[in-house]
C-alpha cells in the first residue's frame, strides 16, 4: 500500500455522506431548541454525515462558557440514535479557563500538555454523549512549542482509543510539514486533515505551499468560513447591511475587496440559476485538496440553500472567472 493509499483509507474514518461538513458554531447559540434540531434533522435527511464543532463554541457570548455547541449536538445525537452513522469532528486548544483565545495572541500553550489534551477530550466526549471522536483537531498552533510536543500530545489522544483521526487547524505550511515529519520519525499518528480559513474572498491561509503539501500527502483540507461568515450569501451589500446581524462585525473586512467577487457571482447566478451560497461552495470543492467545505446554517432554509451546491456543476470557465475575481 502506498502512502497516499494509506492516507485515503484513514480519511474514510472522517469523510462520509454528501460533500459538506455542517458547521456547529451556531448550535446552542443562534440555532437552538427545536429550530436547531430541525437543521440537524434536515442535514441528516439530505445525506449529511459530518458535523464540525469545538470546545470553545460559543464562549464568546455573554453567559456562555464554551461547550454549548457540543452539548447541543450531543443531545441531538442521543435523541435520534444516529451516532454510529455520523462523523463527529471537534477541536481543542482555544478555550483556557473558559476564556476563548484569539488567533494571533500568545494564548495558553499549556493546553497542549498531554494531560490537558486528554482532559479536554474527556470533557468533549461527555458533552457530545459519545465514547469516541472521528476527528480531533489541534484548534490552533502554538509556535512557541516544539512541534514534537504537539504531535505527542495528540498522538496520546489516539492511543487512548477515543480518537480515530487527527487534524490541524490554523497551521502554516512550515509547521504542518514539521508535524508530519515528526510523526513519521516517531511512528506517531499524523494529522490527516487541515482546517484553515479559505473561501472566495479569503485565500491566504491556504496558499500554494499548503495546497501542495495537502495534495502530496493526501491530507483533506476542510476549510472553515466557506461562506465568509455569511458575506458570500450576498446579504451584505451596503453600509446598512454591515451594521446588522449577529455576524456582521466579521464580514466588514470584505466590504471593499469582495465587491468584484460578488459581482462575478451575480453573473454566474444569472447564467446557472444557482444561489450565491451554492456557487461559493461549488467553487471550493473544485480547489486542490478540498473534499468538502464547512458551512453552518441557522435555519432549514439556509441549509437548503447551502446544499444546492451538491447539485451544481460549474464549468471550468466559471471556476476560472471566480478565481480571478479577487483582486
Amino acid at each position: 500500500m502506498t502512502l497516499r493509499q494509506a492516507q485515503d483509507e484513514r480519511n474514510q474514518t472522517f469523510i462520509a455522506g454528501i460533500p459538506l461538513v455542517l458547521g456547529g458554531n451556531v448550535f446552542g447559540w443562534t440555532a437552538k431548541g427545536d429550530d436547531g434540531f430541525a437543521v440537524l434533522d434536515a442535514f441528516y435527511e439530505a445525506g449529511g454525515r459530518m458535523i464540525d464543532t469545538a470546545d470553545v463554541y460559543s464562549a464568546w457570548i455573554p453567559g456562555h462558557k464554551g461547550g454549548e455547541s457540543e452539548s447541543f449536538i450531543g443531545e441531538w445525537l442521543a435523541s435520534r440514535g444516529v451516532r454510529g452513522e455520523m462523523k463527529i469532528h471537534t477541536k481543542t486548544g482555544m478555550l483556557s479557563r473558559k476564556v476563548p483565545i484569539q488567533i494571533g495572541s500568545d494564548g495558553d500553550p499549556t493546553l497542549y500538555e498531554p494531560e490537558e489534551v486528554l482532559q479536554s477530550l474527556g470533557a468533549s466526549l461527555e458533552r457530545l454523549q459519545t465514547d469516541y471522536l472521528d476527528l480531533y483537531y489541534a484548534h490552533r498552533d502554538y509556535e512557541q512549542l516544539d512541534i514534537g510536543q504537539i504531535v505527542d500530545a495528540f498522538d496520546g489522544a489516539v492511543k487512548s482509543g477515543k480518537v480515530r483521526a487527527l487534524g490541524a487547524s490554523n497551521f502554516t505550511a512550515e509547521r504542518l510539514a514539521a508535524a508530519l515529519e515528526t510523526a513519521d520519525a516517531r511512528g506517531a499518528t499524523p494529522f490527516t486533515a487541515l482546517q484553515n480559513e479559505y473561501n472566495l474572498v479569503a485565500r491566504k491561509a491556504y496558499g500554494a505551499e499548503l495546497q501542495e503539501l495537502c495534495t502530496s500527502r493526501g491530507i483533506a483540507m476542510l476549510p472553515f468560513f466557506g461562506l465568509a461568515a455569511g458575506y458570500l450569501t450576498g446579504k451584505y451589500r451596503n453600509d446598512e447591511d454591515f451594521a446588522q446581524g449577529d455576524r456582521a462585525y466579521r464580514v466588514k473586512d470584505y466590504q471593499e475587496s469582495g465587491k468584484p467577487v460578488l459581482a462575478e457571482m451575480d453573473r454566474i447566478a444569472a447564467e446557472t440559476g444557482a444561489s450565491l451560497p451554492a456557487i461559493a461552495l461549488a467553487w471550493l470543492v473544485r480547489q486542490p485538496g478540498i473534499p468538502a467545505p464547512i458551512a453552518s446554517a441557522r435555519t432549514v432554509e439556509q441549509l437548503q440553500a447551502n446544499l444546492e451546491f451538491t447539485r451544481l456543476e460549474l464549468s471550468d470557465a466559471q471556476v476560472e472567472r471566480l478565481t480571478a475575481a479577487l483582486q
Side-chain angles (χ1 to χ4, degrees), residues 30-259:
T30 55
K32 53 190 175 182
D34 290 343
D35 292 339
F37 270 32
V39 173
L40 288 162
D41 286 341
F43 181 66
Y44 175 81
E45 290 162 6
R49 294 295 182 267
M50 299 178 287
I51 302 175
D52 176 83
T53 184
D55 59 7
V56 74
Y57 300 161
S58 47
W60 57 87
I61 302 303
H64 288 203
K65 61 181 182 180
E68 288 81 12
S69 171
E70 290 179 330
S71 295
F72 190 87
I73 293 166
E75 291 171 12
W76 177 78
L77 289 169
S79 68
R80 302 307 192 253
V82 296
R83 175 63 186 99
E85 298 178 63
M86 303 301 296
K87 304 297 185 181
I88 302 300
H89 310 170
T90 196
K91 304 180 283 292
T92 194
M94 289 183 66
L95 184 63
S96 178
R97 293 178 294 279
K98 308 305 179 184
V99 176
I101 295 168
Q102 299 298 316
I103 294 294
S105 70
D106 289 340
D108 184 0
T110 66
L111 292 171
Y112 287 166
E113 292 177 356
E115 286 304 314
E116 287 288 335
V117 170
L118 290 176
Q119 287 181 17
S120 297
L121 170 61
S124 289
L125 291 173
E126 183 176 355
R127 288 188 291 264
L128 286 161
Q129 301 189 43
T130 184
D131 58 3
Y132 71 97
L133 295 174
D134 297 281
L135 179 59
Y136 198 37
Y137 284 99
H139 201 165
R140 59 161 287 175
D141 187 15
Y142 286 96
E143 295 190 4
Q144 63 267 53
L145 293 178
D146 180 87
I147 197 66
Q149 179 179 330
I150 300 175
V151 169
D152 289 346
F154 282 86
D155 183 53
V158 175
K159 284 184 167 63
S160 74
K162 299 174 182 178
V163 171
R164 296 185 173 177
L166 297 175
S169 182
N170 298 298
F171 273 56
T172 64
E174 180 182 5
R175 289 284 283 183
L176 180 57
L180 296 173
E181 291 169 4
T182 301
D184 289 347
R186 297 183 180 184
T189 306
F191 292 129
T192 52
L194 175 68
Q195 184 178 144
N196 282 9
E197 180 179 8
Y198 191 65
N199 55 58
L200 274 165
V201 291
R203 307 183 196 175
K204 293 181 180 179
Y206 185 57
E209 191 175 359
L210 262 177
Q211 291 182 21
E212 171 60 26
L213 179 60
C214 287
T215 55
S216 66
R217 288 291 301 247
I219 293 171
M221 164 63 167
L222 307 173
F224 68 84
F225 281 1
L227 296 177
Y231 179 80
L232 293 172
T233 65
K235 68 180 180 181
Y236 298 98
R237 300 277 188 168
N238 53 52
D239 291 341
E240 291 75 18
D241 297 331
F242 286 92
Q244 302 175 17
D246 294 310
R247 306 178 98 191
Y249 72 97
R250 288 182 168 174
V251 300
K252 288 182 179 179
D253 289 345
Y254 311 132
Q255 191 167 7
E256 293 303 320
S257 63
K259 287 181 179 179

